[in-house]
């Protein structure tokens, strides 16, 4: 049978285009700067290419480097701009360390939107059963009523693990809350964080980083309730409330973040707006602090100072805030807190689950990455269909013409039907 002119050429062009497309789609992704020690750096190949993924000091050259405080002993720290996400300087930004109670920032980001602030909760003995020995407490008593706002003041000011566990019980369970905190961390791009306990109490495998804690602080300051609680220096805490929510009595509670309200040996920092401090035997002292000056808000995160000086975490944070405000106008950034494309993290603890946090649906782990891997092949299939349709268009036109002629009574050469061959 004669071949219609042009079909061979069309088919060849279509096949060549398809082969080129499939070659592009199947090029393996390069994983830059793979971690050798298993501790530094995020999991994303995209993030690994960024300067802050490398351990050590990152500071702009020139005046910024010359004036950087020389007596910093923290294992990890970061200075960033809360509005723009610019990182002004950092040391070991992605070093994974125990976060202590600074992890309560992630807890608040996860649960704050879930309950009305004027809601009442009667504390049950079971709510407090899993509170760790030696935990900081705000003084909740079983059988007494408290508002949700009371509980959050207990979390932020007294760093009360008892308040954390009551809120986690309201959320279903500690385990459910931990799963949601992990999901929330992934949504924020906090790939260094591994949550085991919702209150930051020492637990095997529980870590975060100066980078991730800065992400949490920045996200929290953008939420009104979070910013309000994190900025309270003192409060009157109720001994309990009646059925109408009226306080039966109160006592004073001061924020454990001494840069906010001051304390023995520590002066308040001018313009401080929060956010959270922490301490455990394993983590040492940790602190995320934000201060506002001349319309700019800076976030400083300090983890585990080792100088042995009294109040080192506060004084090193103070010196970094002073430095940041002095160079913020003209110092170039060394990185950013803005979200970057990243692979979905591997499952953390327990099976992956769809989690709804702050009213936003989160797909199970791996879903996003699997969909991303299939996209190039879906595109290739679409191009293949289009190329084949283009190559076979002359054949289809001839077949339609033959069928039309047959419908009008023409039988073709030797009486053949419309699909019987011939010079059509």
């Amino acid at each position: 049978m004669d071949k219609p002119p042009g079909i061979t050429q069309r088919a060849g062009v279509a096949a060549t285009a398809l082969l080129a497309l499939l070659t592009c789609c199947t090029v393996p992704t390069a994983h830059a700067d793979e971690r050798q020690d298993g501790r530094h750096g995020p999991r994303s190949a995209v993030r690994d290419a960024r300067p802050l993924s490398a351990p050590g000091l990152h500071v702009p050259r020139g005046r910024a480097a010359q004036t950087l405080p020389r007596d910093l002993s923290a294992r990890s720290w970061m200075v960033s701009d809360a509005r723009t996400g610019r990182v002004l300087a950092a040391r070991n930004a992605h070093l994974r360390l125990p976060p202590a109670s600074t992890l309560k920032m992630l807890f608040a980001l996860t649960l704050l939107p879930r309950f009305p602030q004027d809601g009442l909760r009667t504390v049950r003995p079971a709510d407090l059963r899993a509170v760790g020995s030696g935990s900081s407490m705000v003084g909740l008593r079983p059988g007494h009523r408290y508002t949700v706002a009371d509980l959050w003041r207990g979390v932020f000011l007294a760093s009360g693990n008892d308040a954390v566990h009551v809120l986690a019980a309201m959320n279903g369970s500690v385990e459910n809350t931990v799963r949601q905190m992990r999901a929330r961390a992934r949504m924020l791009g906090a790939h260094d964080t591994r949550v085991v306990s919702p209150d930051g109490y020492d637990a095997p495998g529980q870590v975060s980083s100066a980078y991730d804690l800065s992400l949490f602080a920045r996200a929290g300051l953008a939420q009104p309730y979070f910013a309000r609680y994190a900025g309270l220096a003192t409060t009157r805490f109720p001994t309990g409330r009646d059925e109408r929510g009226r306080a039966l009595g109160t006592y004073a509670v001061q924020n454990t973040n001494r840069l906010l309200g001051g304390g023995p040996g520590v002066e308040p920092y001018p313009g401080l707006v929060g956010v959270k401090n922490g301490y455990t035997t394993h983590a040492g002292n940790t602190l995320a602090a934000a201060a506002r000056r001349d319309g700019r808000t800076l976030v400083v995160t300090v983890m585990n100072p080792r100088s042995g000086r009294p109040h080192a975490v506060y004084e090193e944070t103070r010196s970094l805030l002073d430095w940041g405000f002095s160079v913020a106008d003209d110092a170039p950034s060394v990185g950013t807190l803005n979200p970057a494309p990243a692979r979905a993290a591997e499952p953390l603890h327990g099976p992956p689950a769809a989690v709804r946090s702050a009213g936003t649906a989160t797909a199970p782990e791996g879903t996003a990455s699997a969909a991303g891997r299939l996209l190039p092949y879906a595109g290739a299939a679409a191009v293949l269909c289009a190329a084949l349709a283009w190559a076979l268009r002359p054949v289809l036109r001839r077949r339609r013409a033959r069928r039309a002629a047959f419908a009008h009574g023409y039988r073709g050469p030797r009486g053949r039907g419309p699909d019987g061959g011939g010079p059509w």
Side-chain angles (χ1 to χ4, degrees):
M1 182 177 69
D2 295 332
K3 295 179 181 179
I7 292 182
T8 302
Q9 294 91 327
R10 287 172 177 268
V13 171
T16 301
L18 177 62
L19 179 61
L21 179 64
L22 288 176
T23 301
C24 294
C25 291
T26 54
V27 172
T29 302
H31 300 288
D33 301 329
E34 287 291 334
R35 291 190 307 270
Q36 300 300 317
D37 60 4
R39 292 182 64 82
H40 289 287
R43 300 186 177 277
S44 163
V46 175
R47 287 269 306 278
D48 283 346
R50 295 166 58 191
L52 289 176
S53 66
L57 179 65
H58 301 273
V59 62
R61 294 179 180 178
R63 186 174 72 88
Q66 295 166 4
T67 59
L68 185 72
R70 302 299 179 188
D71 57 350
L72 301 173
S73 67
R75 296 185 65 189
S76 175
W77 55 262
M78 177 178 283
V79 184
S80 59
D81 188 301
R83 184 181 65 84
T84 65
R86 287 195 313 135
V87 177
L88 303 181
R91 182 174 187 268
N92 296 334
H94 292 285
L95 178 62
R96 296 176 176 180
L97 296 168
S101 286
T102 53
L103 194 65
K104 290 182 171 78
M105 293 188 294
L106 177 60
F107 174 77
L109 285 169
T110 305
L111 261 62
L112 250 176
R114 291 180 171 269
F115 309 109
Q117 300 300 298
D118 58 354
L120 283 171
R121 169 75 173 189
T122 300
V123 176
R124 305 166 184 169
D127 297 346
L128 306 176
R129 194 165 293 148
V131 176
S133 174
S135 288
S136 54
M137 312 272 267
V138 72
L140 302 181
R141 294 189 288 178
H144 288 237
R145 297 185 189 90
Y146 303 89
T147 65
V148 169
D150 294 334
L151 298 175
W152 283 117
R153 285 195 293 271
V155 170
F156 277 92
L157 279 78
S159 201
N161 289 2
D162 49 353
V164 168
H165 279 258
V166 171
L167 286 162
M170 293 173 62
N171 192 47
S173 67
V174 167
E175 294 74 19
N176 186 52
T177 300
V178 166
R179 284 194 296 270
Q180 293 172 3
M181 290 173 67
R182 295 171 186 162
R184 183 65 168 152
R186 290 193 299 272
M187 290 170 64
L188 292 168
H191 301 294
D192 301 321
T193 297
R194 296 293 179 269
V195 182
V196 180
S197 64
D199 49 18
Y201 193 83
D202 282 340
Q206 180 154 273
V207 291
S208 191
S209 67
Y211 184 94
D212 287 7
L213 295 179
S214 299
L215 284 176
F216 302 153
R218 183 190 184 204
L221 291 174
Q223 297 186 6
Y225 279 121
F226 185 111
R228 183 184 308 172
Y229 293 130
L232 283 175
T234 61
T235 191
R236 300 294 302 181
F237 198 83
T239 57
R241 295 184 181 272
D242 62 20
E243 63 277 2
R244 296 184 179 180
R246 294 175 297 193
L248 303 176
T250 63
Y251 54 94
V253 173
Q254 184 172 3
N255 201 309
T256 56
N257 179 0
R258 295 187 186 180
L259 280 187
L260 189 61
V266 180
E267 291 294 321
Y269 189 85
L272 201 82
V273 294
V275 265
K276 192 70 190 76
N277 64 313
Y279 173 81
T280 66
T281 303
H282 189 43
N285 286 287
T286 58
L287 175 62
R292 187 172 297 121
R293 184 182 300 174
D294 298 328
R296 174 181 279 114
T297 301
L298 295 184
V299 175
V300 168
T301 302
V302 172
M303 301 186 76
N304 194 8
R306 294 178 293 173
S307 68
R309 296 191 304 269
H311 319 302
V313 72
Y314 296 113
E315 297 312 316
E316 294 188 20
T317 299
R318 183 191 306 275
S319 64
L320 285 170
L321 283 169
D322 287 342
W323 173 85
F325 284 118
S326 72
V327 303
D329 286 332
D330 50 17
S333 65
V334 297
T336 179
L337 289 177
N338 292 328
R343 297 195 309 265
E346 78 278 3
L348 303 181
H349 303 273
V355 179
R356 183 171 297 275
S357 178
T360 302
T362 302
E365 299 173 38
T367 302
S369 59
R373 289 194 298 269
L374 292 175
L375 281 176
Y377 298 99
V383 172
L384 173 61
C385 294
L388 289 177
W390 175 73
L392 297 175
R393 188 171 55 179
V395 175
L396 297 176
R397 281 204 304 264
R398 290 173 178 271
R399 179 159 293 184
R400 284 196 297 269
R402 180 179 295 171
R403 287 184 181 277
F406 179 73
H408 287 83
Y410 180 69
R411 301 300 298 173
R414 300 180 183 176
R416 287 177 292 182
D419 298 322
W424 291 91

